[in-house]
Amino acid sequence: QVQLVESGGGSVRPAESLRLSCAASEFRLDTYAVGWFRQVPGKDREVVACIENRDGKTFYADSVKGRFTVFTDRIQNTMYLQMNNVKYEDTAIYYCATDQEDTCLEILANPRWWEIGSWGQGTQVTVST
């Protein structure tokens, strides 16, 4: 059974940096596409970034492009989201998820995010002064 565990959330000030982790067990991250999502209370969950680990191809939402970087440490079997120059609107609970597919197509294109098979429990990021 796929298990994903996020960590690294916390409180940061605008323009600071934070790194989130998504540790996987019971499967190899480096063979599948894995995404980062975020959700604010009262709003729908949105995809933030996705990485196709077979070739390292990455995709980002326009709202985070140029500020966030997704990458995978194959030895640690952990995916990361490096968040730089954070903004107030980055405040959310962040989740990692995978459908154990090769590409990010399903993660990026399917608005029914609840159909994605495996999720972590989420980690809170709060940007405030």
Side-chain angles (χ1 to χ4, degrees):
Q1 182 179 355
V2 172
Q3 291 187 2
L4 300 171
V5 178
E6 302 95 336
S7 61
S11 295
V12 291
R13 292 190 172 95
E16 289 185 343
S17 297
L18 197 65
R19 179 176 291 184
L20 306 183
S21 302
C22 171
S25 58
E26 308 302 328
F27 90 114
R28 293 295 310 172
L29 268 177
D30 58 6
T31 56
Y32 298 111
V34 188
W36 281 102
F37 289 74
R38 66 185 181 188
Q39 188 167 24
V40 175
K43 292 190 176 181
D44 204 5
R45 196 168 294 190
E46 62 173 356
V47 62
V48 172
C50 186
I51 183 167
E52 296 177 349
N53 281 303
R54 289 203 175 194
D55 58 12
K57 194 178 296 183
T58 56
F59 304 87
Y60 298 94
D62 287 343
S63 58
V64 306
K65 204 171 291 184
R67 300 188 298 119
F68 290 10
T69 303
V70 59
F71 61 99
T72 297
D73 183 324
R74 297 174 186 274
I75 296 175
Q76 298 294 327
N77 201 31
T78 299
M79 180 180 71
Y80 297 92
L81 184 68
Q82 178 66 41
M83 305 168 62
N84 295 332
N85 189 25
V86 298
K87 302 178 179 181
Y88 292 115
E89 52 265 39
D90 294 325
T91 296
I93 299 174
Y94 284 72
Y95 302 87
C96 57
T98 184
D99 230 1
Q100 294 184 269
E101 300 284 347
D102 292 346
T103 73
C104 289
L105 181 63
E106 192 67 14
I107 288 172
L108 296 173
N110 188 356
R112 298 181 298 276
W113 52 264
W114 53 90
E115 294 181 351
I116 295 172
S118 300
W119 292 85
Q121 82 290 351
T123 186
Q124 174 73 49
V125 172
T126 303
V127 182
S128 68
T129 53

